[in-house]
């Protein structure tokens, strides 16, 4: 219907057609209902806009009896707000926010919209199955409102905080982002803005226009608070900064915002009963200095709405049963003191404590008189009807004035004007828009989780676990039973009946198990090894937990709000105690254990007895996948624990830069001997130290084929050595070797070893033609590699070297062994017979004249130090010899081994020769030519003949030096297995170490073992 403006007069008497303005409007048909309230369908509502020097003004033309009756009245109103309706039923409908059960429009919610003019609908996870279904549901609701004559669209409200608090889940079209605290852990307000904007864009695409966020609570009491990771932390200023970033992101995406939970849920006292209201005991002054800071900042940044909680307040100057029903909290504190003039939303009046203490009807009237603009009622239709009824009764009885209703109506309509219109509400962007957004949002999600995961402590450098565990070692994953997140694939599967196996008697238990099942599978896939996974409950540590813990090589314990679920705290402490009480061979050691919090980071943030503690901030599928990447080294964690706890408790490893000097024999020899003695005495009494028999001379080779450079960190005042590092460059193989890094036990974890290592690598990189780097050396034979006699110490050292750039996965076990009681030894008949049939001749040679043929044979091996050992042995014909194996047919050298007496010029480089009071010779550096068919037979022959020669020299024992093997014991009593099958097979494998088991009468003792490691550093590149 088109209406003419001519003939309609303004209150000032001027004809409208004479004015420089224009009319606009809609048409409405009003009827008087039985209650006396004006109801009906709008036929028209005319507004005249006048432009003059003072700006625009408006007059509203309202008709109450249809288009035929043109008696009218004009009321001037502010241009900043939409039309203030005189229809109280419609006005009061805008003052409710209500939810419903079901994934389709129900008769109840339709009735609320059509008959009671409900202005805002709350959707939860129970209403939403997918992005497509949500778009349709929202459009259906808006269509009903439009058809019912609503002048403005519905506000569609949703909780979508990310992390574990999401209402809408769709694996394809809705991205998962970290929780609020997880975002704060990234340290980036830019990241917070981008996440909020991305979340808002997705919600806007499906028709949502009002988000219940951001959460502005400050965790002034971090323990026992159910809010947990929904907060951004315990620092008011940090929460303020991130809150402002979230606000801007939501607004830029076109959503209205709602700060929560005023005046703060960050420090609540809980009395226990569901009828007892949580209490805020902070005074108003305390709140103003801390909890209210983010709310004040959000108001200054234009937050649209404010959610006021239903908690009680009890302190000097304030005594309130429910904050949202208190004029002192809403009108005085929030509006007058903080200056907020937006929409105030009450806590849900269906909450048990409130409904039982006051009643929904009375609570509704109290909420509006307190200053609330909209009352929240989440789901029960009967309760929602009661609230509407009592609001109308309150208006009829004069308990609520018309002016008070118009005040709230204006605020609600102002909010809607910022986020919706009929054109937008009836034409949602939907799936096409979401499809366009997903590529960039997927990248943002990955970046956010990567930047949020926090390693609070890693005292013993357990991470990444890939540097700690061999492929065939088992990992135990212990997880609590938790309820699946409402918006998750698991919850949707449960709802569809596809997750719980048929016949399962406890679906809730099964679903709790399933929450972390994918985490266990992801760990197994990542390490390509065996993962033992079981859950734990309030029943504590059971015998099967203990059995699995004893069996595993490392343990991962997951907690979820252990501060509130105290059984998790007790269980974790019990497992930690077991890990610290491992006993092998009479020696106590600690099994690696990593604790992961998947919710509140405060579970063990202050408990330093948990040495390695990782925080993930939620247990969504995305978070769990990112966690696995951190645990096994694919991702370096960069997140920081938010708030003040981070400042005082965040773990920082000392990284002092010590002055490193060149070793001076004259100045430092005595101090080095003292350091060696101190470190040797530190070891277990019942275990031989690798430094036994060592002195400062041990590390000095004085060999023309080896360039050596050694370094010290020293106390210049006392002249004592705090650390020592020896390096060698073997010219024959162009190998740079770090032979030893020694640090005073009282000065460890102060970066002395790191400083020495940095200087050593810098020196080796400067060597001409360097091709390879290696840890440990056969010459001198102090540390053959990373020591492995002690299983726990071996793993700690592997972690340390891995952390500074060495590829510990590319390592092979090597060891030294002493055979004692040689007077009782006889050669095994089986091996003797096999040697008789071999077409090989063995001979003992001395002197430099054999150097050419022997050294040419040695070139067939790339192992460093071999050339130098043979040169020394041939040059010292009085104390050394070489057993040579040649092919009978053509005299070609097929194998060799060195014999060394304790009187040899280079015996100091083999400290194991001084291990006992017995006369001990060494059989060292066996080399077998490539392509030899009878590898084992030849090697056994060389060793047996070597033992025979040593025995003829009246030796009591023989040292089998620097043999590669699937031994030695790794601390658990089991053989250690090589983790590098690609290592050159020219090295003797198990033959020589299997030999002592066949010796008659002789005893064998393993005196030293190491893992010889190679770094990810070749040809000068690290």
């Amino acid at each position: 219907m088109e209406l003419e403006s001519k003939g309609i007069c303004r209150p000032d008497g001027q004809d409208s057609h004479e004015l420089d303005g224009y009319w606009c409007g809609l048409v409405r048909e009003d009827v008087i209902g039985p209650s006396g309230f004006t109801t009906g369908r709008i036929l028209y509502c005319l507004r005249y806009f006048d432009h003059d020097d003072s700006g625009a003004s408006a007059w509203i033309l309202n008709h109450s009896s249809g288009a035929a009756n043109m008696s009218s009245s004009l009321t001037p109103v502010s241009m900043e707000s939409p039309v203030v309706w005189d229809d109280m039923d419609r006005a009061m409908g805008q003052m409710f926010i209500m939810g419903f059960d079901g994934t389709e429009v129900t008769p109840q919610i339709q009735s609320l919209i059509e008959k009671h003019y409900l202005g805002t609908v709350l959707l939860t996870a129970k209403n939403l199955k997918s992005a497509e279904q949500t778009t349709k549901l929202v459009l259906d609701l808006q269509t009903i409102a439009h058809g019912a004559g609503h002048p403005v669209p519905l506000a569609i409200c949703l909780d979508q905080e990310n992390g574990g608090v999401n209402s809408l889940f769709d694996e394809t079209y809705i991205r998962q982002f970290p929780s609020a605290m997880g975002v704060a852990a990234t340290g980036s307000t830019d990241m917070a803005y981008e996440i909020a904007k991305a979340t808002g864009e997705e919600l806007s695409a499906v028709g949502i226009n009002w988000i219940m966020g951001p959460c502005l609570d400050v965790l002034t009491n971090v323990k026992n608070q159910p809010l947990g990771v929904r907060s951004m932390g315990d620092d008011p200023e940090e929460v303020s900064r991130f809150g402002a970033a979230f606000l801007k992101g939501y607004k830029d995406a076109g959503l209205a915002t709602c700060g929560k939970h005023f005046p703060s849920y960050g420090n609540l006292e809980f009395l226990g009963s569901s009828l007892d209201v949580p209490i805020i005991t902070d005074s108003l002054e305390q709140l103003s200095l801390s909890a209210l800071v983010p709310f004040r900042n959000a108001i200054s940044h234009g937050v649209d709405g404010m959610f006021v909680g239903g908690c009680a307040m009890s302190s000097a100057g304030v005594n309130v049963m429910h904050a949202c029903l208190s004029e002192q909290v809403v009108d005085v504190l929030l509006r007058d003191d903080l200056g907020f003039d937006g929409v105030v939303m009450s806590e849900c009046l269906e909450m048990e404590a409130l409904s039982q203490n006051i009643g929904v009807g009375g609570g509704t009237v109290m909420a509006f008189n307190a200053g609330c603009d909209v009352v929240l009622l989440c789901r029960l239709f009967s309760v929602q009807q009661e609230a509407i009824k009592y609001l109308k009764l309150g208006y009829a009885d004069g308990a609520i004035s018309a002016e008070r209703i118009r005040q709230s109506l204006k605020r609600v309509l102002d909010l809607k004007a910022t986020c919706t219109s009929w054109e937008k509400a009836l034409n949602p962007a939907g799936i096409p828009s979401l499809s366009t957004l997903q590529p960039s949002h997927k990248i943002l999600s990955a970046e956010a989780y990567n930047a949020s995961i926090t390693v609070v402590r890693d005292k013993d450098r357990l991470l990444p676990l890939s540097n700690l565990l061999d492929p065939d070692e088992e990992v135990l994953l212990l997880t609590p039973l938790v309820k699946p997140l409402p918006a998750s694939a698991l919850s949707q599967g449960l709802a569809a009946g596809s997750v719980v196996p048929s016949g399962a008697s406890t679906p809730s238990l099964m679903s709790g198990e399933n929450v972390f099942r994918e985490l266990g599978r992801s760990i197994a896939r990542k390490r390509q090894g065996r993962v033992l996974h079981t859950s734990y409950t309030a029943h504590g540590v059971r015998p099967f937990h203990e059995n699995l813990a004893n069996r595993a090589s490392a343990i991962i314990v997951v907690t979820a709000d252990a501060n509130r679920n105290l059984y998790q705290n007790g269980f974790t402490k019990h497992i930690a105690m077991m890990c610290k009480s491992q006993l092998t061979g009479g020696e106590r050691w600690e099994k690696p254990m990593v604790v992961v919090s998947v919710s509140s980071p405060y579970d063990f943030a202050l408990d330093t007895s948990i040495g390695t503690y990782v925080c993930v901030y939620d247990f969504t599928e995305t978070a769990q996948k990112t966690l696995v990447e951190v645990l096994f080294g694919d991702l370096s964690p960069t997140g920081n624990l938010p708030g003040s706890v981070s400042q005082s408790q965040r773990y920082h490893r000392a990284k002092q830069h010590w002055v490193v000097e060149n070793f001076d024999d004259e100045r430092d020899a005595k101090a080095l001997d003292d350091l060696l003695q101190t470190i040797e005495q530190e070891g277990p009494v019942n275990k031989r130290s690798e430094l036994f028999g060592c002195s400062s001379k041990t590390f000095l080779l004085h060999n023309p084929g080896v360039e050596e450079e050694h370094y010290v960190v020293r106390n210049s005042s006392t002249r004592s050595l705090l650390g020592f590092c020896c390096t060698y460059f073997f010219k024959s193989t162009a190998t740079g070797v770090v032979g030893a890094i020694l640090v005073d036990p009282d000065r460890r974890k102060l970066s002395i070893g790191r400083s020495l290592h940095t200087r050593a690598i810098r020196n080796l990189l400067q060597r001409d033609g360097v091709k390879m780097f290696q840890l440990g050396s056969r010459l001198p034979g102090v540390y053959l590699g990373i020591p492995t006699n002690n299983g726990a110490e071996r793993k700690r050292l592997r972690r340390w070297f891995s952390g500074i750039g060495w590829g510990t996965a590319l390592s092979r076990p090597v060891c030294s062994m002493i055979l004692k009681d040689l007077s009782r030894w006889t050669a095994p008949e089986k091996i003797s017979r096999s040697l008789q049939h071999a077409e090989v001749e063995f001979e003992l040679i001395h002197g430099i004249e054999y150097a050419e043929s022997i050294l040419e044979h040695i070139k067939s091996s790339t192992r460093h130090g071999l050339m130098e050992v043979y040169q020394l042995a041939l040059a010292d014909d009085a104390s050394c010899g070489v057993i040579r194996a040649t092919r009978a047919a053509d005299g070609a050298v097929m194998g060799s081994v060195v014999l060394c007496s304790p009187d040899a010029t280079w015996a100091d480089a083999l400290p194991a020769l001084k291990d006992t009071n017995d006369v001990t010779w060494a059989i060292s550096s066996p080399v077998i030519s490539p392509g030899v068919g009878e590898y084992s037979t030849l090697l056994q022959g060389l060793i047996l003949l070597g033992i025979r020669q040593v025995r003829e020299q009246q030796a009591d024992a023989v040292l089998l030096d620097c043999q590669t093997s699937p031994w030695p014991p790794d601390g658990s009593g089991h053989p250690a297995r090589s983790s590098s099958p690609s290592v050159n097979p020219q090295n003797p494998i198990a033959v020589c170490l299997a030999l002592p088991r066949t010796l008659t009468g002789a005893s064998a003792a393993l005196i030293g073992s190491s893992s010889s490691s190679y770094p990810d550093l070749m040809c000068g590149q690290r």
Side-chain angles (χ1 to χ4, degrees):
M1 176 186 299
E2 295 185 0
L3 298 179
E4 296 287 336
S5 63
K6 186 176 180 179
I8 301 178
C9 296
R10 285 177 26 172
D12 57 10
Q14 297 185 47
D15 289 337
S16 60
H17 66 276
E18 297 175 353
L19 298 177
D20 180 19
Y22 64 91
W23 290 92
C24 66
L26 53 88
V27 181
R28 139 181 125 175
E29 181 179 36
D30 294 332
V31 296
I32 306 299
S35 63
F37 297 108
T38 304
T39 62
R41 186 166 62 90
I42 289 181
L43 288 180
Y44 62 89
C45 180
L46 301 179
R47 287 182 290 178
Y48 179 80
F49 296 88
D50 181 19
H51 304 282
D52 56 25
D53 293 338
S54 62
S57 59
W59 285 263
I60 312 305
L61 175 61
N62 290 319
H63 291 270
S64 61
S65 58
N69 185 349
M70 295 301 293
S71 61
S72 60
S73 62
L74 286 168
T75 306
V77 298
S78 169
M79 277 300 297
E80 278 77 28
S81 68
V83 179
V84 179
W85 308 331
D86 64 350
D87 183 337
M88 286 298 135
D89 274 5
R90 292 184 178 278
M92 286 187 283
Q94 295 294 318
M95 298 170 69
F96 287 102
I97 173 171
M98 296 179 175
F100 64 100
D101 289 337
T103 57
E104 297 178 349
V105 174
T106 63
Q108 291 81 11
I109 193 65
Q110 184 169 353
S111 171
L112 290 171
I113 296 171
E114 291 180 337
K115 296 181 180 180
H116 299 288
Y117 313 110
L118 175 65
T120 304
V121 175
L122 173 69
L123 298 180
T124 67
K126 294 181 179 180
N127 302 119
L128 312 176
K129 296 190 298 184
S130 67
E132 186 174 8
Q133 174 266 337
T134 302
T135 306
K136 181 180 183 304
L137 176 61
V138 172
L139 180 58
D140 288 345
L141 292 169
Q142 294 287 19
T143 302
I144 291 171
H146 188 264
H150 284 227
V152 292
L154 298 172
I156 307 293
C157 200
L158 190 73
D159 258 327
Q160 192 81 355
E161 297 177 18
N162 287 311
V165 183
N166 278 346
S167 297
L168 176 57
F169 174 82
D170 189 308
E171 287 183 298
T172 305
Y173 296 112
I174 302 296
R175 282 303 106 207
Q176 176 68 55
F177 295 104
S179 63
M181 190 174 290
V183 175
T186 68
S188 170
T189 53
D190 290 339
M191 177 76 75
Y193 166 79
E194 294 296 339
I195 289 172
K197 185 180 178 184
T199 301
E201 288 172 341
E202 293 176 352
L203 296 184
S204 182
V206 300
I208 307 299
N209 49 41
W210 192 6
I211 188 168
M212 299 278 283
C215 184
L216 300 171
D217 304 87
V218 178
L219 286 179
T220 50
N221 176 8
V222 300
K223 291 187 176 182
N224 305 319
Q225 299 302 309
L227 201 63
V229 294
R230 297 174 64 190
S231 166
M232 299 169 215
D234 64 350
D235 182 351
E237 295 300 328
E238 189 172 34
V239 174
S240 294
R241 290 195 304 273
F242 278 92
F246 275 108
L247 278 175
K248 187 175 186 331
Y250 293 142
K251 283 177 168 291
D252 287 355
L255 298 185
T257 54
C258 182
K260 58 186 182 183
H261 307 82
F262 188 85
S264 179
Y265 279 3
N267 186 17
L268 299 176
E269 297 291 339
F270 294 88
L271 302 181
S273 168
S274 61
L275 297 180
D276 292 324
V277 183
I279 301 175
I280 297 175
T281 57
D282 291 343
S283 67
L284 292 178
E285 290 76 11
Q286 290 172 318
L287 290 172
S288 180
L289 293 174
S290 178
L292 297 183
V293 173
F295 292 98
R296 187 180 296 114
N297 187 62
I299 291 170
S300 69
H301 282 81
V303 65
D304 300 291
M306 197 71 75
F307 177 98
V308 180
C311 56
M313 300 178 68
S314 179
S315 65
V318 58
N319 189 13
V320 172
M321 182 179 293
H322 298 286
C324 62
L325 307 186
S326 167
E327 183 179 356
Q328 185 179 6
V329 174
V330 182
D331 264 351
V332 177
L333 181 59
L334 179 57
R335 294 212 186 275
D336 295 344
D337 294 352
L338 271 62
F340 180 65
D341 194 36
V343 174
V344 175
M345 180 191 303
S346 79
E347 172 68 271
C348 178
L349 300 191
E350 294 180 37
M351 63 179 290
E352 189 172 4
L354 195 151
S355 61
Q356 293 295 322
N357 291 336
I358 296 176
V360 171
T364 301
V365 175
M366 292 174 67
F368 284 114
N369 281 329
C372 292
D373 298 304
V374 290
V375 166
L376 174 61
L377 297 133
C378 291
R379 52 184 294 268
L380 293 178
F381 184 58
S382 59
V383 172
Q384 293 164 346
Q385 289 178 306
E386 179 184 352
I388 295 172
K389 173 183 175 182
Y390 270 79
L391 179 60
K392 291 181 178 181
L393 285 176
Y395 172 71
D397 293 343
I400 302 175
S401 67
E403 181 59 28
R404 175 68 190 83
I405 292 175
R406 288 192 176 94
Q407 251 182 6
S408 291
L409 178 63
K410 176 183 180 299
R411 295 186 184 116
V412 171
L413 296 179
D414 282 348
L415 180 147
K416 289 189 176 185
T418 68
C419 65
T420 189
S421 66
W422 277 123
E423 181 180 1
K424 180 179 178 181
L426 298 178
N427 297 280
I431 298 301
S433 176
L434 289 173
S435 300
T436 303
L437 293 170
Q438 285 318 293
S440 61
H441 289 186
K442 185 176 182 180
I443 294 172
L444 178 62
S445 172
E447 291 176 347
Y449 273 104
N450 292 353
S452 69
I453 291 187
T454 305
V455 176
V456 181
R457 285 185 302 277
D458 189 15
K459 287 184 177 179
D460 296 322
R461 294 184 177 271
L462 299 184
L463 301 177
L465 291 174
S466 53
N467 291 331
L468 178 69
L469 299 170
D470 292 328
D472 52 355
E473 290 184 305
E474 294 177 329
V475 174
L476 173 61
L477 175 63
L478 297 168
T479 58
L481 289 177
V482 297
K483 186 177 180 180
L485 298 175
S488 66
L490 182 56
S491 290
Q492 291 185 355
L494 286 169
S498 61
V499 172
V500 181
S502 59
S505 58
T506 54
S508 61
L509 183 65
M510 289 300 300
S511 64
E513 292 274 7
N514 281 329
V515 168
F516 296 109
R517 179 171 295 176
E518 185 56 34
L519 175 60
R521 291 172 176 168
S522 296
I523 293 174
R525 287 192 295 267
K526 179 62 65 176
R527 66 182 305 262
Q528 297 181 345
R530 187 164 183 175
V531 176
L532 310 172
H533 180 198
T534 189
S535 59
Y536 65 92
T537 66
H539 294 298
V541 178
R542 314 301 295 169
F544 74 91
H545 290 128
E546 294 181 345
N547 293 336
L548 292 174
N550 290 328
R551 171 178 164 180
S553 298
I555 299 175
I556 302 171
V557 180
V558 173
T559 64
D561 289 315
N563 277 331
R564 292 193 297 127
N565 303 300
L566 294 181
Y567 78 90
Q568 296 182 21
N569 187 290
F571 182 91
T572 304
K573 290 293 192 67
H574 191 148
I575 296 297
M577 182 182 66
M578 291 178 58
C579 290
K580 293 176 181 178
S581 305
Q582 298 296 303
L583 197 65
T584 301
E587 182 182 350
R588 192 174 297 277
W589 60 284
E590 185 172 347
K591 179 173 291 187
M593 171 180 166
V594 177
V595 176
V596 178
S597 165
V598 295
S599 188
S600 169
Y602 302 108
D603 289 357
F604 295 98
L606 307 178
D607 190 344
T608 56
S609 67
I610 302 299
T612 300
Y613 183 50
V614 182
C615 295
V616 186
Y617 305 102
D618 66 67
F619 51 89
T620 59
E621 291 88 344
T622 309
Q624 292 183 40
K625 291 176 183 176
T626 310
L627 169 64
V628 174
E629 294 181 352
V630 169
L631 292 178
F632 291 93
D634 292 340
L635 178 66
S636 296
T638 59
N640 291 313
L641 195 64
S644 60
V645 175
S646 173
Q647 305 304 320
S648 61
Q649 298 296 327
R650 191 184 310 158
Y651 181 71
H652 292 283
R653 183 168 295 277
K655 291 187 179 179
Q656 294 98 321
H657 297 284
W658 295 83
V659 175
V660 178
E661 304 176 58
N662 285 79
F663 174 81
D664 184 302
D665 190 16
E666 182 177 346
R667 180 193 67 191
D668 299 324
K670 172 64 169 60
L672 178 55
D673 288 335
D674 292 341
L675 178 62
L676 292 170
Q677 185 177 4
T678 300
I679 297 175
E680 181 188 349
Q681 292 173 350
E682 176 209 23
V685 177
N686 60 340
K687 290 246 182 177
R688 174 195 178 276
S689 169
E690 288 86 355
L691 297 178
F692 185 89
C694 287
S695 69
S696 57
K697 295 180 180 179
T698 302
F699 300 97
L700 306 179
L701 298 182
H702 303 298
N703 188 303
V706 181
E707 296 178 3
E708 54 185 312
E709 195 85 37
H710 313 311
Y711 307 98
V712 295
V713 170
R714 53 194 293 270
N715 185 324
S716 58
S717 299
T718 64
R719 298 189 178 182
S720 62
L721 293 190
L722 306 181
F724 170 79
C725 176
C726 56
T727 67
Y728 310 92
F729 177 64
F730 290 86
K731 299 177 183 178
S732 59
T733 57
T735 302
V737 173
V738 178
I741 298 178
L742 307 172
V743 177
D744 187 326
D746 294 332
R747 299 292 189 274
R748 289 176 183 168
K749 297 187 178 180
L750 296 176
S751 294
I752 293 175
R754 184 181 292 268
S755 297
L756 288 165
H757 177 270
T758 301
R759 178 68 178 275
I761 294 297
R762 188 186 307 149
N763 165 66
L764 292 174
L765 283 170
Q766 295 173 357
R767 302 297 177 180
D768 291 336
V770 62
K771 296 180 179 178
M772 189 178 200
F773 289 78
Q774 182 169 316
L775 285 178
S777 175
R778 70 177 60 247
L779 191 68
V782 181
Y783 291 106
L784 310 179
I786 300 174
T788 61
N789 273 342
N790 182 320
E793 181 69 3
R794 162 182 170 258
K795 292 186 175 182
R796 185 187 70 80
L797 290 173
R798 283 188 66 179
R799 292 194 301 273
W800 190 86
F801 280 106
S802 173
I804 56 177
W806 291 83
T808 54
L810 302 175
S811 61
R812 63 174 183 271
V814 291
C815 66
S816 294
M817 174 181 286
I818 283 187
L819 304 180
K820 299 183 178 181
D821 303 322
L822 287 185
S823 60
R824 300 167 52 197
W825 175 81
T826 58
E829 293 184 8
K830 183 177 181 181
I831 296 180
S832 298
R833 287 196 301 269
S834 65
L835 291 175
Q836 292 174 0
H837 294 88
E839 298 180 356
V840 180
E841 295 179 354
F842 296 91
E843 58 179 327
L844 178 64
I845 58 175
H846 302 271
I848 200 68
E849 61 269 23
Y850 295 99
E852 184 177 354
S853 63
I854 288 294
L855 296 182
E856 188 64 30
H857 158 68
I858 297 304
K859 290 180 182 179
S860 65
S861 174
T862 58
R863 287 178 288 155
H864 84 276
L866 288 175
M867 185 70 69
E868 291 73 20
V869 167
Y870 277 87
Q871 288 173 339
L872 290 170
L874 292 171
D876 188 2
D877 56 1
S879 303
C880 300
V882 174
I883 296 180
R884 180 176 65 180
T886 58
R887 189 183 295 117
D890 55 9
V893 179
M894 302 176 64
S896 60
V897 70
V898 170
L899 306 182
C900 174
S901 80
D903 300 323
T905 56
W906 53 287
D908 282 338
L910 296 174
L913 288 179
K914 304 175 183 179
D915 186 46
T916 66
N917 295 323
D918 299 327
V919 177
T920 304
W921 280 55
I923 298 176
S924 177
S925 307
V927 178
I928 308 297
S929 295
V932 172
E934 296 295 329
Y935 182 94
S936 300
T937 301
L938 188 57
L939 179 58
Q940 289 173 349
L942 290 169
I943 300 296
L944 284 174
L945 291 175
I947 295 173
R948 184 177 295 168
Q949 290 294 329
V950 168
R951 184 179 170 187
E952 290 177 359
Q953 300 299 320
Q954 305 302 312
D956 301 311
V958 61
L959 168 69
L960 300 178
D961 168 62
C962 204
Q963 307 297 321
T964 305
S965 167
W967 281 36
D970 61 1
S972 62
H974 302 292
R977 289 158 292 275
S978 172
S979 58
S980 180
S982 60
V983 172
N984 192 326
Q986 289 184 2
N987 292 309
I989 305 297
V991 221
C992 58
L993 291 180
L995 183 62
R997 308 176 205 177
T998 66
L999 298 180
T1000 304
S1003 62
L1006 190 70
I1007 63 167
S1009 58
S1010 303
S1011 178
S1012 180
S1013 299
Y1014 299 87
D1016 299 321
L1017 180 62
M1018 303 293 288
C1019 302
Q1021 297 181 355
R1022 291 194 68 181

